[in-house]
Structures are given as C-alpha cells and as structure tokens.
Amino acid sequence: MSSRSPRRSSGDPARDRREPPGEVSAIFDGMLRHARELLAVRSPLDAELIVSEILGSWWGHRMPGGDVEEVIGEALIGHAARAGTPAALALLTGIANLGTRRQEALAEQAALELMERGVARPGWAEHVGMVTPGQCYVSRDVYGDQESVVCTFTYGGADRHALVVLVDRNKAEPVPSAPARSGRPPAPGMVRDAWVSSRVDELLEHCRRESRENPLMRFEEVDPRDTRALLQRALERTDAVDDPPVNESFGSYHAFVRSRVRALPPGGGVPAPAVHGHDRRATLAARFLASDEAEELSDRSAASRCVDRIIDYGCAHDFGRPLRVSPLKAEMFLLDWLPRKVLLSRAEQEAVPHVLAAWVRWAGKRTGLPEEGVRATLDAVWDATAKFAESYRDPSAFGLDREIVDRLLPDGDLEALPRRAFTLPFLSGTHRLPGRHGKHGRVDLTKLDPADPGDRRILLEFEHPGADEAHLDAHERLAGRLWDGDPPQLWETAQALLDVGYERHEVLHKLIDVLERHGHDPQGLRDALRVLRHEPPPE
C-alpha cells in the first residue's frame, strides 16, 4: 500500500464523501472490482468468505499514528458509499456483518442510504451473518502443544459448515484469566491458521478416527461458551503481534473468524495459569531431585540449578505448566530459550540435557503422558543435545571476561548482553575512550554496578565529559530503557540502524529523539520506532 494514508473517518458517512488520494482510490477501485464476485454467488457463506478476503488485504499491516482498520477500512466504506453500485452495496452489506464494531455501524448506515436510493441488494443479503452456532470440538495432541478447534454453524438450519482454527500454545505468554472448571478447553495460545469446510460430517469422522488410531491424539466436544473465550483470547494475542507467525492465507479468514467467534454464546472462560510461587517451585524441584529418575545425576549442585531453569521456563513461558513435556517444548527450551536467555556455567551446560531427560521421565509419569509420548520426547532431547552444544554460546568463549559479563547480567538474562554492551560498551571492552582507563575522578569504574541507576549515571558521565545535565538526562533515560529492554523494539531499531551504516552515537541520538517525543505513549513509541527502522542509509 502507499505510505500516504486516507483521511481518518469522522464517523458520519455524510461527512466522509471526499475522494481519497488518487493512488489510494485506485486500490479501493480494485477492491470494488473484486466485490463484483459477490453479485454472482448465491450462498451467504461464499459471500462472507469473499468479503473476509477483501478485508484481509490489509490485516497485519501497521500504520504510524493510526489504526489501520480505522484509517483504511473506514475509508473503503466511504469509497464504496460514493461508488453507489450494486457491487459496492454488496460489499457494504458484508462489512456490516464482518467488520470491526465501528466498521459494521458505518457500513450498515451507508448500505441503508444506497438501498433508499434504489440500489439492488444481492439475494444472499437477508441471510448473511444470520448464523446459528452448533457443536464445538477440540482435536489436540496429548502434549498440549497445539489444537484444532472445530466450530459448526448453520444459516437457520441450512448450509451447515465448520470453522477450523489452529491454536498454537507454544507461541504466547500466559495472562490472568477466569478460574477453571472441569471440561473446559485449555488456556489459549496464538491462532496460527484457519479454514472453512462444508463437509462437516467427513471432517468430524476424520478427527474421531485419528484419535482412535493415534494414541497421541485426543478428540472431544467442548462447551461453545468456553470455545468463544478460548478463541477470542487467542485471536487477541495474534492481533497484538507485529509480525505474527501465521499461515500466509490467514489474513483472508481473519474477519470471518472474528465474526464467527462473536456468534458463539458468551459467558465462558479459560483456565487460569497455575500459580507457582517461590515455595511451590522449590518444593517441585526438591521432589524431583529426590526421585528415582534423578538418582543418577552426578553433579547434584548443577542439577539443582538446571531443574530450577526447567521449572522457571514452564511457569513463565508455558502458561504455568512446568510439568508439561513434549518434543517441541524440549527443543524450544534447549535450542531457543536457554541459548538466548540464560547465562549457564560450564557445569550447567554439560548437565542440562541429562537433567531435562530425567525431568521428562519424572513429569511424564506424574501427568499420565502415554509411554509413546515419553519416548518421543526423550528422543527429541537427545537429538537436540548435540545441537545445544553448538547453539549455546558462552560469552567467555568470545574473550569477554566473566566478571564483566556478571556485571552486565546480574539477572542472568543472556539475551540482554548485546544491548547492554551497546549501552555501556567501554564497560565490556568493546569500545575504548582515549585517555580514560577505568577512573572517573576518584571513582573506580570497575567497582560500579551498571544495574544501579546511580552508578549508571556516573558511567555515562565518564563517556560524555563536559556534557550538560539535560544531555546526560536524555542519555540516562535511553540507557535505562535499553538496559531493561523496554520496549524490545528499541534495541531492534538500534540494530537495524547499525546494519545500514549509522555510527553508535548517531543511533543513540536518533533513539533519544524518538524517546523524547513518544516516551509516554507506548503505542506511539512502537509506531515511531517502526518507521525509524526503515531510515535510509547515511550518505
């Protein structure tokens, strides 16, 4: 799409009649040509899928300073209202049922105006959106990695169809939710894909047969109210991600999924993540270390620290489920989270695959995981062990002094090392300041704690001799944000600017400028950083 934005809608179609810029108008004309297909279909289901595809053409895009659904979607409604053709009315009728709440109201008003002017409605218009929900089901693996949620619908008893939504529960962080009750589907993750089938009976029979023949699969009916809560939360997570890892066709179904989720009955909930405080985690670790499965672990001290990491990962990154084990979770823990997030000692690096294997056997027994599932997970652990040794990069292997690393990573967050070394490069030895070698007046810089804001101020004064207080204050605010990784886009933007050739101090001042203008507006800051990431290379 063009970088020029259509005018923001006023909320009154009568005031939104002015033509958008020419190139945007051409895009909307293309959408109206696509909407002519709506005049040829008879099924309300086919019509809704076409409208969802049109609405999905901008799904996932971000627009600095505005909501893309409001800026683009509402401008399309105004454009269709001005066009006044039967195809435009058909599109408005579809948006009145599949759009955002605001789009629905605007599209309905515009459609009524066209109907009053005598524009003909398509035959399916009286049925579109008038769906009745039926049964809901979940097909899931025994590991709890992902599930296919199947929701059935009809149009007043006719045109039965099923919406299938793939939810990946390895792709999102837990959030507080309502208390659990028996029979509810598991906590939501992130929507990865969706599709529609009119062959409902064949689809359900396939799922039932798979669960009968595969001991690692389960298929069961679930309460439609809880299904709505599950899908609504998972869809919100997907929508909140800048670049969600969805199937390339998902955007075409997004509006349809949103509409069908709304059609499900309200009043349900999703299970709350298990609460695992420090004492509960310590008890869980102690029980494991006293088990038969942990008996052969030779280095008990390293094993204790490793099992703490396993439990922390399950609590913080797997919806409070440290006992859940699966091949995928084991691979993500060993090959993604540990190498990226955790500073391990040499003994811990050697011990962690063996501790994880023992944990799989112990936790699998406690959760009733089928023996086939335990074996498959153990195979994944051993397959990943050699790769872990290659993936895990101990900073000391690259010549960084362990004492410096410990000062930069008091929280053990290995992922923070590059951005903190960028923030205070002379501390890590990656940047030298001429004529200054670790002393600032009578202060020994090697004794300062960079995690302490007061000490960090002294370190910044050392880097910027003679700078005024306002300049140091700006650098201090940026350094604190980079140290904490708040927001993550700040460091991502710094890397992007470094990659195209900007010097470190130029990058710092560009970030300071954005932070000064948008530091109190989280969404505005993220949008501005997204724009800055595309800054052209310096001349």
Side-chain angles (χ1 to χ4, degrees):
M1 286 189 176
S2 168
S3 60
R4 294 177 60 188
S5 305
R7 183 172 60 89
R8 185 183 295 270
S9 170
S10 68
D12 179 0
R15 296 172 55 195
D16 290 331
R17 304 297 185 178
R18 287 183 294 178
E19 288 288 344
E23 64 270 33
V24 177
S25 181
I27 292 173
F28 289 163
D29 286 340
M31 292 179 181
L32 287 181
R33 285 193 294 273
H34 188 178
R36 292 174 186 170
E37 296 179 23
L38 294 168
L39 304 178
V41 300
R42 296 183 178 181
S43 163
L45 176 60
D46 290 338
E48 287 188 279
L49 290 173
I50 291 171
V51 172
S52 182
E53 183 179 2
I54 293 172
L55 294 177
S57 60
W58 62 80
W59 179 80
H61 291 271
R62 296 292 185 267
M63 183 167 288
D67 184 326
V68 69
E69 291 285 2
E70 184 176 341
V71 174
I72 302 296
E74 295 175 18
L76 173 61
I77 292 170
H79 189 80
R82 287 188 298 273
T85 63
L89 176 57
L91 178 58
L92 290 169
T93 302
I95 295 175
N97 290 279
L98 273 74
T100 65
R101 293 300 190 193
R102 181 177 164 88
Q103 288 170 0
E104 287 180 343
L106 294 173
E108 182 176 10
Q109 184 177 345
L112 288 172
E113 290 183 9
L114 294 187
M115 290 164 58
E116 289 173 358
R117 287 160 45 189
V119 180
R121 296 174 72 199
W124 47 260
E126 63 185 69
H127 301 290
V128 68
M130 304 296 291
V131 293
T132 302
Q135 290 79 23
C136 295
Y137 307 86
V138 171
S139 176
R140 63 168 67 95
D141 59 64
V142 296
Y143 304 115
D145 285 326
Q146 66 179 26
E147 58 219 17
S148 294
V149 181
V150 182
C151 306
T152 61
F153 300 89
T154 63
Y155 293 92
D159 291 331
R160 188 178 181 220
H161 57 280
L163 169 66
V164 185
V165 182
L166 180 64
V167 178
D168 187 337
R169 292 195 287 123
N170 283 302
K171 296 296 181 184
E173 298 297 312
V175 296
S177 57
R181 69 171 187 263
S182 60
R184 286 189 171 175
M190 179 179 289
V191 174
R192 297 290 301 275
D193 200 3
W195 61 94
V196 176
S197 174
S198 58
R199 303 167 69 174
V200 180
D201 291 333
E202 292 182 30
L203 172 65
L204 297 179
E205 178 53 33
H206 169 78
C207 294
R208 293 188 182 100
R209 185 171 60 252
E210 185 179 37
S211 68
R212 290 193 302 266
E213 298 175 353
N214 186 345
L216 301 180
M217 293 298 297
R218 300 288 184 268
F219 182 68
E220 57 189 345
E221 186 171 351
V222 291
D223 190 322
R225 296 171 300 168
D226 296 330
T227 304
R228 172 174 173 156
L230 165 72
L231 293 180
Q232 187 169 318
R233 191 76 61 83
L235 196 60
E236 288 171 355
R237 293 182 187 279
T238 304
D239 290 342
V241 176
D242 279 348
D243 187 18
V246 297
N247 186 285
E248 61 181 9
S249 65
F250 174 71
S252 298
Y253 289 97
H254 178 267
F256 186 90
V257 173
R258 179 177 59 199
S259 174
R260 286 299 185 268
V261 170
R262 291 176 188 163
L264 293 170
V270 293
V275 178
H276 291 276
H278 178 76
D279 291 343
R280 177 82 181 276
R281 297 186 192 195
T283 300
L284 198 60
R287 288 177 178 171
F288 165 71
L289 292 170
S291 69
D292 293 341
E293 289 79 8
E295 185 175 357
E296 295 183 1
L297 298 174
S298 56
D299 188 335
R300 305 294 288 183
S301 177
S304 177
R305 295 191 297 273
C306 290
V307 76
D308 286 343
R309 300 295 189 184
I310 294 170
I311 295 171
D312 288 346
Y313 178 73
C315 290
H317 299 276
D318 191 26
F319 303 101
R321 301 178 297 172
L323 290 173
R324 187 183 79 85
V325 296
S326 79
L328 181 58
K329 183 179 177 181
E331 290 177 2
M332 292 178 67
F333 175 73
L334 281 176
L335 303 182
D336 177 59
W337 189 71
L338 279 179
R340 185 170 48 84
K341 291 291 293 180
V342 181
L343 182 63
L344 297 172
S345 69
R346 179 68 63 181
E348 291 166 348
Q349 294 173 44
E350 295 176 357
V352 68
H354 303 280
V355 177
L356 180 58
W359 178 267
V360 167
R361 291 190 289 268
W362 182 75
K365 183 185 298 183
R366 289 174 63 88
T367 58
L369 184 66
E371 186 59 33
E372 296 93 334
V374 173
R375 286 199 301 268
T377 306
L378 288 173
D379 287 344
V381 171
W382 299 127
D383 287 345
T385 296
K387 296 177 184 176
F388 169 71
E390 299 173 0
S391 299
Y392 191 85
R393 291 291 184 262
D394 191 324
S396 61
F398 297 94
L400 289 179
D401 187 275
R402 184 73 186 207
E403 185 271 335
I404 295 294
V405 172
D406 289 341
R407 290 173 69 195
L408 289 171
L409 304 179
D411 51 5
D413 184 0
L414 189 58
E415 189 176 42
L417 183 59
R419 72 169 187 271
R420 291 178 183 172
F422 170 81
T423 305
L424 301 169
F426 50 89
L427 185 66
S428 66
T430 60
H431 184 70
R432 300 294 182 185
L433 298 178
R436 280 167 279 157
H437 305 288
K439 289 286 186 178
H440 181 63
R442 296 183 178 180
V443 178
D444 183 354
L445 299 180
T446 64
K447 304 299 184 183
L448 296 180
D449 178 8
D452 179 83
D455 286 1
R456 195 157 58 224
R457 174 74 174 213
I458 298 173
L459 290 166
L460 290 170
E461 290 173 353
F462 174 72
E463 184 183 4
H464 300 87
D468 60 38
E469 291 298 310
H471 188 76
L472 284 171
D473 289 345
H475 274 282
E476 185 177 5
R477 285 190 289 271
L478 175 61
R481 292 280 199 129
L482 284 170
W483 182 273
D484 295 333
D486 175 30
Q489 292 86 354
L490 203 62
W491 173 232
E492 293 170 5
T493 303
Q495 294 177 89
L497 294 175
L498 291 169
D499 287 344
V500 298
Y502 285 97
E503 297 293 332
R504 173 179 173 271
H505 212 69
E506 291 179 295
V507 173
L508 291 175
H509 281 272
K510 286 180 178 292
L511 296 178
I512 285 172
D513 181 59
V514 171
L515 202 58
E516 292 297 297
R517 287 185 285 113
H518 303 283
H520 299 292
D521 176 10
Q523 184 58 53
L525 177 59
R526 289 193 292 270
D527 290 341
L529 289 171
R530 189 178 299 110
V531 173
L532 183 58
R533 281 201 292 274
H534 298 289
E535 187 90 351
E539 295 182 359

